[in-house]
Amino acid sequence: MRKQLKPRSTIAIYTMQYSLIVIASIFFIIGIMRVKATETMDVISLVWLLSGAFLYVASYIYAKKGVKIIQTACPYCYGTGYIDMGTGKNKRQETCPVCHGTGKMLDKATIELEKERERIKKEKKEEKKLQNPVPKEEQQNNSP
């Protein structure tokens, strides 16, 4: 069995994003307060301001990546494609029934498209059955 890293949950992504925003805000406020206190822009004030700005940009980037993960990862198996079943010696992995082992959650349009394709396949099979009735040889063999 290969070991896969479990993707972060939605709560972990949001918590990290908001933590980065709070820390960035604190750094930025410290930088502004230092500028007001000294009435000049010194190196330390600039470092505080740049650190705050950097963390804010990092939280924005993390949020964008997090949204992609949240939108595509299956909520049932957290994007791994399998579920751990049982405990101890009876522990086994089974394919996720929601995403069928892909680890990705499909949008409604894709799901509807797949349903439509399946319906069309079934109709074609039924149409072939109607077009190809039982051959005459089989009818003669079955008649008394």
Side-chain angles (χ1 to χ4, degrees):
M1 238 183 317
R2 67 178 189 189
K3 185 175 180 180
Q4 292 182 346
L5 295 175
K6 194 171 192 177
R8 292 185 175 261
S9 68
T10 306
I11 295 171
I13 291 171
Y14 287 135
T15 304
M16 182 62 124
Q17 175 191 353
Y18 293 127
S19 299
L20 284 171
I21 290 173
V22 168
I23 293 169
S25 301
I26 291 170
F27 281 11
F28 204 75
I29 290 170
I30 290 172
I32 292 173
M33 289 175 60
R34 181 151 174 93
V35 169
K36 282 187 175 183
T38 59
E39 295 182 6
T40 60
M41 178 72 83
D42 59 347
V43 175
I44 296 173
S45 301
L46 186 63
V47 168
W48 281 108
L49 290 171
L50 289 176
S51 297
F54 173 75
L55 286 175
Y56 185 77
V57 170
S59 71
Y60 178 76
I61 292 169
Y62 190 83
K64 287 291 187 183
K65 299 241 184 222
V67 166
K68 288 180 183 176
I69 292 169
I70 291 169
Q71 287 177 346
T72 58
C74 175
Y76 195 69
C77 65
Y78 301 107
T80 59
Y82 63 90
I83 303 166
D84 294 329
M85 303 292 284
T87 57
K89 292 180 180 180
N90 297 330
K91 191 172 183 178
R92 64 188 186 285
Q93 291 181 341
E94 291 188 6
T95 305
C96 177
V98 176
C99 66
H100 305 292
T102 62
K104 296 181 180 179
M105 192 59 150
L106 302 175
D107 60 340
K108 288 183 179 181
T110 308
I111 293 171
E112 291 299 319
L113 182 64
E114 287 182 3
K115 286 181 182 178
E116 186 67 19
R117 285 181 182 160
E118 289 296 321
R119 186 185 64 78
I120 290 171
K121 281 182 185 178
K122 286 180 183 177
E123 285 182 1
K124 285 183 179 179
K125 285 181 182 178
E126 290 176 7
E127 190 175 300
K128 284 182 181 179
K129 286 180 183 178
L130 293 175
Q131 287 178 356
N132 298 328
V134 180
K136 292 181 181 179
E137 296 172 357
E138 287 184 18
Q139 288 177 358
Q140 289 174 358
N141 292 337
N142 291 336
S143 62

Short mmCIF file of all heavy atoms in Angstrom, two decimals, residues 115-138:
data_model
loop_
_atom_site.label_atom_id
_atom_site.label_comp_id
_atom_site.label_asym_id
_atom_site.label_seq_id
_atom_site.Cartn_x
_atom_site.Cartn_y
_atom_site.Cartn_z
N LYS A 115 -24.27 11.47 -16.66
CA LYS A 115 -25.56 10.78 -16.63
C LYS A 115 -26.18 10.73 -18.02
O LYS A 115 -26.75 9.71 -18.43
CB LYS A 115 -26.53 11.50 -15.68
CG LYS A 115 -26.22 11.28 -14.22
CD LYS A 115 -27.22 12.00 -13.36
CE LYS A 115 -26.93 11.85 -11.89
NZ LYS A 115 -27.89 12.60 -11.06
N GLU A 116 -26.06 11.84 -18.76
CA GLU A 116 -26.61 11.89 -20.12
C GLU A 116 -25.89 10.89 -21.03
O GLU A 116 -26.52 10.22 -21.84
CB GLU A 116 -26.49 13.32 -20.67
CG GLU A 116 -27.14 13.53 -22.00
CD GLU A 116 -28.65 13.41 -21.96
OE1 GLU A 116 -29.24 13.52 -20.86
OE2 GLU A 116 -29.24 13.18 -23.02
N ARG A 117 -24.58 10.78 -20.90
CA ARG A 117 -23.82 9.82 -21.71
C ARG A 117 -24.25 8.39 -21.41
O ARG A 117 -24.39 7.57 -22.31
CB ARG A 117 -22.32 9.97 -21.44
CG ARG A 117 -21.72 11.20 -22.08
CD ARG A 117 -20.25 11.30 -21.81
NE ARG A 117 -19.70 12.51 -22.39
CZ ARG A 117 -18.58 13.07 -22.03
NH1 ARG A 117 -17.84 12.53 -21.07
NH2 ARG A 117 -18.15 14.17 -22.60
N GLU A 118 -24.45 8.08 -20.13
CA GLU A 118 -24.91 6.75 -19.75
C GLU A 118 -26.29 6.47 -20.33
O GLU A 118 -26.56 5.37 -20.82
CB GLU A 118 -24.93 6.60 -18.22
CG GLU A 118 -23.57 6.52 -17.59
CD GLU A 118 -22.79 5.29 -18.02
OE1 GLU A 118 -23.40 4.20 -18.15
OE2 GLU A 118 -21.58 5.43 -18.26
N ARG A 119 -27.17 7.45 -20.28
CA ARG A 119 -28.52 7.28 -20.83
C ARG A 119 -28.45 7.02 -22.34
O ARG A 119 -29.14 6.14 -22.86
CB ARG A 119 -29.36 8.53 -20.55
CG ARG A 119 -30.82 8.39 -20.96
CD ARG A 119 -31.57 9.68 -20.79
NE ARG A 119 -31.08 10.74 -21.65
CZ ARG A 119 -31.35 10.85 -22.95
NH1 ARG A 119 -32.09 9.93 -23.55
NH2 ARG A 119 -30.88 11.84 -23.67
N ILE A 120 -27.61 7.75 -23.03
CA ILE A 120 -27.46 7.57 -24.48
C ILE A 120 -26.91 6.18 -24.79
O ILE A 120 -27.37 5.51 -25.73
CB ILE A 120 -26.57 8.67 -25.08
CG1 ILE A 120 -27.30 10.01 -25.04
CG2 ILE A 120 -26.16 8.35 -26.51
CD1 ILE A 120 -26.46 11.20 -25.40
N LYS A 121 -25.94 5.70 -24.01
CA LYS A 121 -25.40 4.35 -24.21
C LYS A 121 -26.49 3.30 -24.05
O LYS A 121 -26.60 2.35 -24.84
CB LYS A 121 -24.27 4.06 -23.22
CG LYS A 121 -22.96 4.68 -23.59
CD LYS A 121 -21.91 4.28 -22.57
CE LYS A 121 -20.59 4.97 -22.83
NZ LYS A 121 -19.59 4.61 -21.79
N LYS A 122 -27.32 3.45 -23.01
CA LYS A 122 -28.41 2.49 -22.78
C LYS A 122 -29.40 2.51 -23.93
O LYS A 122 -29.87 1.46 -24.38
CB LYS A 122 -29.13 2.81 -21.47
CG LYS A 122 -28.33 2.44 -20.24
CD LYS A 122 -29.10 2.77 -18.98
CE LYS A 122 -28.28 2.47 -17.75
NZ LYS A 122 -28.99 2.85 -16.51
N GLU A 123 -29.74 3.69 -24.43
CA GLU A 123 -30.67 3.79 -25.54
C GLU A 123 -30.10 3.13 -26.79
O GLU A 123 -30.83 2.47 -27.54
CB GLU A 123 -31.00 5.26 -25.83
CG GLU A 123 -31.95 5.87 -24.83
CD GLU A 123 -32.29 7.31 -25.16
OE1 GLU A 123 -31.81 7.83 -26.20
OE2 GLU A 123 -33.04 7.91 -24.39
N LYS A 124 -28.82 3.30 -27.04
CA LYS A 124 -28.20 2.67 -28.21
C LYS A 124 -28.23 1.16 -28.10
O LYS A 124 -28.46 0.46 -29.07
CB LYS A 124 -26.76 3.17 -28.38
CG LYS A 124 -26.67 4.57 -28.93
CD LYS A 124 -25.23 5.00 -29.16
CE LYS A 124 -25.16 6.40 -29.73
NZ LYS A 124 -23.79 6.86 -29.94
N LYS A 125 -27.97 0.63 -26.91
CA LYS A 125 -28.03 -0.82 -26.71
C LYS A 125 -29.43 -1.34 -26.97
O LYS A 125 -29.62 -2.37 -27.61
CB LYS A 125 -27.57 -1.18 -25.30
CG LYS A 125 -26.08 -1.09 -25.09
CD LYS A 125 -25.70 -1.49 -23.70
CE LYS A 125 -24.21 -1.35 -23.46
NZ LYS A 125 -23.83 -1.70 -22.08
N GLU A 126 -30.44 -0.64 -26.43
CA GLU A 126 -31.82 -1.05 -26.64
C GLU A 126 -32.21 -0.97 -28.11
O GLU A 126 -32.93 -1.82 -28.64
CB GLU A 126 -32.76 -0.19 -25.80
CG GLU A 126 -32.65 -0.45 -24.31
CD GLU A 126 -33.52 0.49 -23.50
OE1 GLU A 126 -34.31 1.26 -24.09
OE2 GLU A 126 -33.40 0.45 -22.27
N GLU A 127 -31.72 0.06 -28.79
CA GLU A 127 -32.00 0.23 -30.21
C GLU A 127 -31.39 -0.91 -31.03
O GLU A 127 -32.01 -1.43 -31.96
CB GLU A 127 -31.44 1.57 -30.68
CG GLU A 127 -31.87 1.97 -32.07
CD GLU A 127 -31.36 3.36 -32.41
OE1 GLU A 127 -31.74 4.31 -31.71
OE2 GLU A 127 -30.59 3.45 -33.38
N LYS A 128 -30.17 -1.32 -30.67
CA LYS A 128 -29.54 -2.44 -31.37
C LYS A 128 -30.32 -3.73 -31.17
O LYS A 128 -30.46 -4.54 -32.08
CB LYS A 128 -28.09 -2.62 -30.88
CG LYS A 128 -27.14 -1.60 -31.44
CD LYS A 128 -25.72 -1.87 -30.97
CE LYS A 128 -24.77 -0.83 -31.51
NZ LYS A 128 -23.39 -1.06 -31.05
N LYS A 129 -30.84 -3.92 -29.95
CA LYS A 129 -31.63 -5.11 -29.69
C LYS A 129 -32.89 -5.13 -30.54
O LYS A 129 -33.30 -6.16 -31.05
CB LYS A 129 -32.02 -5.19 -28.20
CG LYS A 129 -30.88 -5.56 -27.30
CD LYS A 129 -31.34 -5.61 -25.86
CE LYS A 129 -30.19 -5.92 -24.92
NZ LYS A 129 -30.63 -5.91 -23.52
N LEU A 130 -33.51 -3.96 -30.71
CA LEU A 130 -34.73 -3.88 -31.52
C LEU A 130 -34.43 -4.06 -33.01
O LEU A 130 -35.24 -4.61 -33.74
CB LEU A 130 -35.44 -2.55 -31.28
CG LEU A 130 -36.03 -2.34 -29.90
CD1 LEU A 130 -36.59 -0.93 -29.76
CD2 LEU A 130 -37.11 -3.38 -29.61
N GLN A 131 -33.27 -3.58 -33.45
CA GLN A 131 -32.91 -3.70 -34.86
C GLN A 131 -32.49 -5.12 -35.21
O GLN A 131 -32.66 -5.56 -36.34
CB GLN A 131 -31.77 -2.74 -35.21
CG GLN A 131 -32.21 -1.30 -35.27
CD GLN A 131 -31.04 -0.38 -35.56
OE1 GLN A 131 -29.91 -0.81 -35.65
NE2 GLN A 131 -31.35 0.91 -35.72
N ASN A 132 -31.94 -5.84 -34.28
CA ASN A 132 -31.48 -7.21 -34.52
C ASN A 132 -32.41 -8.19 -33.80
O ASN A 132 -32.10 -8.68 -32.73
CB ASN A 132 -30.04 -7.40 -34.03
CG ASN A 132 -29.07 -6.52 -34.75
OD1 ASN A 132 -29.26 -6.21 -35.91
ND2 ASN A 132 -28.02 -6.11 -34.06
N PRO A 133 -33.56 -8.49 -34.42
CA PRO A 133 -34.44 -9.47 -33.76
C PRO A 133 -33.80 -10.86 -33.81
O PRO A 133 -32.75 -11.06 -34.40
CB PRO A 133 -35.71 -9.40 -34.61
CG PRO A 133 -35.28 -8.87 -35.91
CD PRO A 133 -34.07 -8.00 -35.65
N VAL A 134 -34.47 -11.79 -33.22
CA VAL A 134 -33.95 -13.15 -33.16
C VAL A 134 -33.80 -13.68 -34.58
O VAL A 134 -34.73 -13.58 -35.40
CB VAL A 134 -34.91 -14.04 -32.34
CG1 VAL A 134 -34.39 -15.46 -32.26
CG2 VAL A 134 -35.13 -13.44 -30.97
N PRO A 135 -32.64 -14.23 -34.93
CA PRO A 135 -32.43 -14.75 -36.29
C PRO A 135 -33.43 -15.86 -36.63
O PRO A 135 -33.98 -16.54 -35.76
CB PRO A 135 -31.01 -15.30 -36.25
CG PRO A 135 -30.36 -14.65 -35.09
CD PRO A 135 -31.43 -14.31 -34.13
N LYS A 136 -33.67 -16.07 -37.95
CA LYS A 136 -34.64 -17.07 -38.42
C LYS A 136 -34.25 -18.48 -38.01
O LYS A 136 -35.09 -19.30 -37.72
CB LYS A 136 -34.78 -17.00 -39.94
CG LYS A 136 -35.43 -15.74 -40.42
CD LYS A 136 -35.55 -15.74 -41.93
CE LYS A 136 -36.19 -14.46 -42.41
NZ LYS A 136 -36.30 -14.41 -43.86
N GLU A 137 -32.95 -18.76 -37.96
CA GLU A 137 -32.49 -20.10 -37.57
C GLU A 137 -32.94 -20.43 -36.16
O GLU A 137 -33.38 -21.54 -35.88
CB GLU A 137 -30.98 -20.20 -37.68
CG GLU A 137 -30.44 -20.04 -39.09
CD GLU A 137 -28.93 -19.96 -39.12
OE1 GLU A 137 -28.30 -19.97 -38.05
OE2 GLU A 137 -28.39 -19.86 -40.22
N GLU A 138 -32.82 -19.43 -35.25
CA GLU A 138 -33.21 -19.67 -33.87
C GLU A 138 -34.74 -19.85 -33.78
O GLU A 138 -35.24 -20.62 -32.97
CB GLU A 138 -32.75 -18.53 -32.96
CG GLU A 138 -31.25 -18.53 -32.71
CD GLU A 138 -30.84 -17.44 -31.74
OE1 GLU A 138 -31.70 -16.91 -31.01
OE2 GLU A 138 -29.64 -17.14 -31.71
#
